[in-house]
Amino acid sequence: MTNDVQATSGAFTLTKQDNGVAILTMDVPGESMNTLKAAFGDEISAMLDDIDADSSIKGVVLVSGKANSFVAGADISMLAACNTAEDATTIAAGGQAIFDRIERMKATFVAAINGPALGGGLELALACHYRICTDSPSTQVGLPEVQLGLLPGSGGTQRLPRLIGIQQAMKMMLTGAPARPKQAKKYGIVDDVVPQSVLLKVAEQFALKRKPEREAPQKSVMDKMLENTGPGRGMMFKKAREATFAKTKGNYPAPGYIIDVIETGMRDGVEAGLKAEAEAFGKLVMTPESFQLRQIFFATTDMKKENGIEGVSPEKMKKVGVLGGGLMGGGIAFVTATKAGVPVRIKDVRPEGIANAMKYSYDILNKKVKKRFMRNNEMQKQMSLITGTLDYSGYQDTDIVVEAVFEDVDLKQKMVADIEENCKENTIFASNTSSIPITQIAAKAARPENVIGLHYFSPVDKMPLAEVIAHETTSDQVISSTVEFAKKQGKTPVVVKDGAGFYVNRILAPYMNEAASLILAEEPIEHIDKSLVKFGFPVGPVKLLDEVGIDVGTKIIPFLVEAFGERFTAPSAFDKVLADGRKGKKNQKGFYSYEGKKPGKEVDESIYSLLGLTPSTKLSEKEVAERCVLMMLNEAARCLDEGVIRNARDGDIGAIFGIGFPPFLGGPFRYMDTLGIKHVVERLNHYASTVGDKFAPADVLVKMTEENSTFY
C-alpha cells in the first residue's frame, strides 16, 4: 500500500511516492502538446522549492502527461510580445536560470521521454541528470530553432556540445534535424532506450542512482585534436563558418550566431556561453528573417487545423488506387502507404510499370533499414500495403483513385470513365495533372462532382506541397475529404481554383520564361542560376528546368497562352533545345553537361552554339534576380485578384513549399509588402519601358498603390 502525496499547480503535478522517487508530471491544460511558456517560471520554482525542502525525495522523474509527446518546445507565440532584443534576452535568461537550478538540485532528475522532445523540450531534458527515451517511432530529440531563424536559448548551445561533442552538436543545431531513439543513444544524448511499457520503471531506477560523473564524449584521435586543442577548435569553427556561408549565402543570420555562441562557451566557459546565448537569442528574435520564418510556422500550423470547406467534415480514405506506375505514381503510392498508412493499389498497363513503382518505395525504405532508422519488419509491413494490378481487380471498394498517367486530355477522360465503371458511386477521382484544367478532365464524367485535382510536386516523397483543385461542380464533401487525405500523406494542401497552371505553375512559368529571355539576351547560364540562388532559391531556374525535364517544364506553356494570352509566350529557345533531343537530367542532355567529373554541375557549352549565342555578363546579379522575381510577383498578385488562391497566406505557403521561394522573405505577398507595393509597381514600370510590355504591372497592384494598401 503506497501513500502517494499529490500537489498540482497549473501545468505541473508532483506525486511523492514511498520509494524516495517523486514523479513531476507536465500536462498543459487544453493543449494537445506540451509547450513551455515564460509564465510557468513561478510554478516550476514552487515545485522545486517543495522538492528541495523534502529530504525523503532522493530522485525525481520528469514525465509528460500527454500520451504521445514529451515537450514540443517553447511557445513561440510569446515572442510576438517582445518589443526589443532585451525583452527576448530576458525570456531566454529566465529559461536558463530554471534549467540551471534543475541541474544543481540535490535530488537526481531523470527525463522520461516518449514522443517528440524538441527545442526547449530537449533543453529541459538536457538539464536533467539522466535521460531515458522509448523506442517508439514517434520519439525524437532535436533542437530545430534554426528553422525559425533562432538558436536554442535555454542552455542548449552549451549543454549539448559538452554532452556529445562539438561537431555532432553543432550539426544538429545548424540543420535542426532530430535524432531518432537509436541515434540519440549512439550520440550519447540519452542514457537508455526502452519499450514504453517500462519507461517509468527504468526512469525510477535511474532516479535512485547518484548523479553521473560524465566522461568526455568518445572521440576519434582526429576529433580530439580538433575539439580539445585551441588551434584545432579555431580551424573547426572556421571551416564550419565557411561551409555554412556557402549554404546560406549570408541570407540567414541564425547559423552564424549558433557557431559564435558555441565557440564562446567552449573558449570562455559555460557562464560566458550562456550570457552570449541569451543575447544572441534576443538579437535573432528581432531580425526580419526570424519574423518571416515564424509567420510561416504559424500559417502552416493554422492550415493543419482547417478543413477543405469550413463546416464540412471529411470522410476517411480506407483504400486508395493509383493509376500509372511512373515516378509520380510511385511517389504517391509511397506517401500513401508509409505516411497515411493506408493500403494502395497501383494500376499500370505494363508489369514493368508496377515493378518500378514498387521499387520506388523499396529503395527509400531499404536505405532507412540500412542506416538503422527503421527495423526490417517495419519495412515489410509498409511494403505489404502496396499492391499492383494490370486491370481494375481490387478497385471496386477504393475510396479515392489518384490518376498519374501521361498528360493527355483524352487519356485522362478515359480514366474517369473507367473509374466510374469499376468503382463505387462515391469514389473520388483525383487527377495529378500539372497543366490540364480539371474542368476539361471532368467534361464527360457521369459524376463530375467526384472529380478533383490533386497536384503533387516532384519528388513526391520530399516536396511538402499539394494543390487541391476543385472545378465548378466538385462537391464540398469531396474537397474536404481530399484535403484531409493529402494531410494524412504528410502534405500541406492549398486549395486553388481551377484554371491553366493552377497557382504554382502559373507563377513559375513567367519566372522561367524570363530566365530563358535572359539566355537569349546572351547572359551566361551559370550567371543567371547563381543570381537566383544568391537571392535565396534552392536552385536556379535553368538548373530547375533540367531537373524537372525540359519537355515536362514546357508542356504547360500552350495551356497558359491559350488561357491568358501573349504574356505567357515562351522564348523560341525552348523549341530549339527540345528539337536537339535535350530533355535535361533524365536523358543526360540539357542546358547542363552530365559527363566528366562533375555531372550536372557545369553548363554544356554546346548549348550556346546551338542557339547561336556568344554569352557575356552584362547585368548584375541583382538585376537578373529582380527581372525573374518581378515576373513571378506580378502573376501572384493576379492569381489572388482572380480568386485562384483563397488568401495571401495560401499564396505564400504555396510558393515556399512548391517552388522553394526564399522562406526568409516570407513568400511573394509578404515580400511585396516588405518592398512596398509602390516600389514593386515602379520597378515593373521601369522594365515595361526598357524591356517589354510583359512587365506591365497587374491592375490590382496599381490600384493598391493608389489606395496605399498592403496584402497583410
Side-chain angles (χ1 to χ4, degrees):
M1 165 97 191
T2 60
N3 303 311
D4 294 354
V5 182
Q6 267 200 356
T8 302
S9 160
F12 299 90
T13 305
L14 185 67
T15 308
K16 299 179 184 182
Q17 305 176 135
D18 286 353
N19 61 356
V21 177
I23 309 288
L24 181 55
T25 307
M26 179 176 179
D27 194 347
V28 181
E31 289 187 23
S32 59
M33 294 259 210
N34 284 328
T35 53
L36 297 166
K37 304 175 198 295
F40 292 160
D42 295 343
E43 282 179 40
I44 300 175
S45 298
M47 290 281 174
L48 297 178
D49 289 343
D50 189 359
I51 293 164
D52 258 341
D54 189 335
S55 57
S56 72
I57 298 177
K58 302 285 178 281
V60 177
V61 173
L62 182 64
V63 68
S64 163
K66 308 291 181 197
N68 48 10
S69 70
F70 181 68
V71 180
D75 179 4
I76 302 145
S77 57
M78 64 186 175
L79 300 178
C82 298
N83 296 317
T84 62
E86 289 74 39
D87 290 348
T89 294
T90 306
I91 291 180
Q96 289 178 350
I98 287 173
F99 291 177
D100 276 354
R101 184 171 173 198
I102 290 174
E103 193 171 41
R104 291 197 309 268
M105 293 289 281
K106 286 201 302 278
T108 300
F109 271 66
V110 182
I113 300 167
N114 178 50
L118 300 171
L122 177 57
E123 289 178 296
L124 170 61
L126 290 171
C128 295
H129 306 111
Y130 294 101
R131 286 153 295 283
I132 315 296
C133 78
T134 65
D135 56 7
S136 151
S138 69
T139 297
Q140 47 174 319
V141 297
L143 296 171
E145 287 86 348
V146 71
Q147 293 163 4
L148 297 172
L150 301 169
L151 52 65
S154 298
T157 64
Q158 304 306 305
R159 287 196 178 91
L160 193 61
R162 285 172 172 79
L163 183 68
I164 68 170
I166 301 172
Q167 291 173 87
Q168 185 57 51
M170 190 151 59
K171 187 176 160 193
M172 284 183 73
M173 286 183 242
L174 290 174
T175 60
R180 299 284 164 190
K182 270 189 174 165
Q183 282 174 298
K185 174 89 166 66
K186 188 178 144 201
Y187 298 157
I189 302 173
V190 298
D191 298 287
D192 206 354
V193 178
V194 299
Q196 193 177 344
S197 54
V198 294
L199 176 65
L200 264 179
K201 190 177 153 209
V202 175
E204 287 189 21
Q205 289 164 0
F206 272 86
L208 290 169
K209 291 184 181 191
R210 290 174 48 188
K211 287 178 204 158
E213 295 285 328
R214 292 202 182 267
E215 290 170 20
Q218 293 298 312
K219 298 183 193 126
S220 66
V221 177
M222 181 66 186
D223 284 350
K224 274 187 182 143
M225 279 172 61
L226 278 176
E227 298 197 10
N228 299 355
T229 65
R233 277 209 298 256
M235 191 173 96
M236 177 180 68
F237 285 117
K238 181 172 176 272
K239 284 269 176 261
R241 283 190 180 92
E242 284 167 8
T244 300
F245 190 81
K247 230 179 176 142
T248 64
K249 307 284 180 275
N251 286 324
Y252 294 88
Y257 276 111
I258 289 172
I259 297 169
D260 293 348
V261 167
I262 296 173
E263 186 172 28
T264 301
M266 286 302 176
R267 189 186 58 225
D268 305 336
V270 176
E271 209 170 300
L274 288 171
K275 186 171 181 292
E277 177 189 84
E279 282 173 7
F281 181 83
K283 285 179 189 155
L284 286 170
V285 168
M286 289 296 138
T287 59
E289 291 84 356
S290 176
F291 173 78
Q292 298 297 6
L293 293 169
R294 294 194 317 262
Q295 298 313 310
I296 295 166
F297 173 79
F298 293 133
T300 46
T301 309
D302 284 345
M303 289 168 89
K304 279 177 191 155
K305 296 174 190 161
E306 292 172 6
N307 276 346
I309 298 288
E310 215 177 320
V312 180
S313 17
E315 304 263 332
K316 204 172 169 200
M317 302 293 130
K318 299 187 205 66
K319 189 173 177 188
V320 179
V322 171
L323 302 178
L327 265 182
M328 293 306 277
I332 296 162
F334 172 78
V335 293
T336 305
T338 61
K339 295 269 191 342
V342 179
V344 55
R345 196 156 173 82
I346 304 162
K347 180 193 177 296
D348 200 281
V349 288
R350 302 169 313 131
E352 307 89 81
I354 293 165
N356 288 336
M358 296 272 199
K359 190 174 181 299
Y360 186 108
S361 291
Y362 176 80
D363 288 346
I364 298 173
L365 296 174
N366 195 33
K367 214 183 238 168
K368 287 186 178 178
V369 172
K370 279 191 172 152
K371 285 187 171 172
R372 299 201 165 165
F373 290 174
M374 178 184 251
R375 292 200 183 101
N376 200 358
N377 63 351
E378 180 59 29
M379 164 170 151
Q380 301 297 345
K381 199 170 108 190
Q382 294 190 358
M383 281 304 298
S384 70
L385 290 171
I386 308 173
T387 56
T389 176
L390 296 170
D391 53 25
Y392 285 101
S393 62
Y395 262 66
Q396 62 285 355
D397 55 347
T398 46
D399 298 304
I400 184 168
V401 173
V402 185
E403 165 275 303
V405 301
F406 193 69
E407 289 284 89
D408 174 298
V409 179
D410 297 335
L411 177 61
K412 288 182 191 282
Q413 288 179 346
K414 183 183 181 310
M415 295 290 114
V416 174
D418 284 0
I419 291 310
E420 290 186 329
E421 196 180 319
N422 291 286
C423 297
K424 302 185 291 190
E425 274 219 338
N426 56 351
T427 298
I428 298 171
F429 182 96
S431 174
N432 172 50
T433 176
S434 55
S435 56
I436 304 167
I438 306 302
T439 310
Q440 291 183 25
I441 294 170
K444 296 177 181 170
R447 298 190 282 277
E449 67 279 5
N450 292 342
V451 179
I452 194 165
L454 181 52
H455 178 215
Y456 300 87
F457 294 81
S458 187
V460 182
D461 56 294
K462 290 197 178 77
M463 295 296 275
L465 189 75
E467 286 180 306
V468 175
I469 309 112
H471 65 101
E472 285 296 323
T473 56
T474 305
S475 80
D476 288 355
Q477 178 66 65
V478 166
I479 298 171
S480 275
S481 299
T482 307
V483 165
E484 187 57 29
F485 173 59
K487 281 188 206 166
K488 289 270 191 292
Q489 293 174 316
K491 302 296 167 203
T492 299
V494 171
V495 178
V496 300
K497 200 166 87 174
D498 191 24
F502 314 128
Y503 170 65
V504 172
N505 282 336
R506 180 171 158 189
I507 67 169
L508 184 63
Y511 164 87
M512 302 288 258
N513 277 350
E514 191 51 29
S517 300
L518 289 166
I519 296 175
L520 294 183
E522 306 200 283
E523 289 294 334
I525 290 169
E526 59 271 274
H527 175 57
I528 297 169
D529 277 353
K530 261 191 194 137
S531 305
L532 284 136
V533 168
K534 198 166 178 190
F535 180 80
F537 281 92
V539 296
V542 191
K543 185 88 180 86
L544 180 65
L545 197 57
D546 256 16
E547 296 277 339
V548 171
I550 302 166
D551 53 338
V552 176
T554 52
K555 186 169 252 129
I556 188 173
I557 300 291
F559 289 99
L560 290 164
V561 174
E562 187 189 342
F564 307 112
E566 280 308 294
R567 71 170 188 271
F568 278 97
T569 305
S572 55
F574 291 143
D575 295 339
K576 283 186 184 161
V577 171
L578 283 170
D580 193 45
R582 294 172 187 256
K583 290 181 180 178
K585 188 180 176 180
K586 62 178 165 192
N587 75 340
Q588 305 285 291
K589 204 176 169 197
F591 289 99
Y592 281 77
S593 165
Y594 294 90
E595 283 157 10
K597 281 181 183 167
K598 295 181 177 174
K601 292 275 187 284
E602 284 160 359
V603 172
D604 178 353
E605 296 294 327
S606 68
I607 197 93
Y608 296 123
S609 48
L610 172 73
L611 298 171
L613 303 169
T614 313
S616 72
T617 306
K618 292 174 280 300
L619 300 173
S620 69
E621 284 181 341
K622 211 176 156 195
E623 285 171 297
V624 169
E626 185 179 45
R627 273 177 62 168
C628 294
V629 172
L630 278 173
M631 290 298 283
M632 182 184 281
L633 299 179
N634 207 17
E635 203 56 44
R638 286 193 187 100
C639 286
L640 180 60
D641 191 41
E642 292 166 22
V644 173
I645 40 177
R646 296 187 290 189
N647 48 42
R649 177 205 72 181
D650 285 7
D652 281 339
I653 295 297
I656 291 166
F657 287 0
I659 300 170
F661 190 93
F664 67 92
L665 296 174
F669 296 98
R670 285 211 180 263
Y671 182 50
M672 284 191 270
D673 275 359
T674 305
L675 291 174
I677 310 297
K678 186 168 176 245
H679 175 80
V680 175
V681 169
E682 278 167 4
R683 296 309 293 157
L684 283 164
N685 279 327
H686 162 75
Y687 286 118
S689 59
T690 55
V691 179
D693 287 346
K694 60 185 173 180
F695 280 98
D699 296 345
V700 60
L701 290 175
V702 176
K703 192 170 157 224
M704 286 175 76
T705 308
E706 288 161 7
E707 293 167 357
N708 205 7
S709 60
T710 52
F711 289 110
Y712 281 91

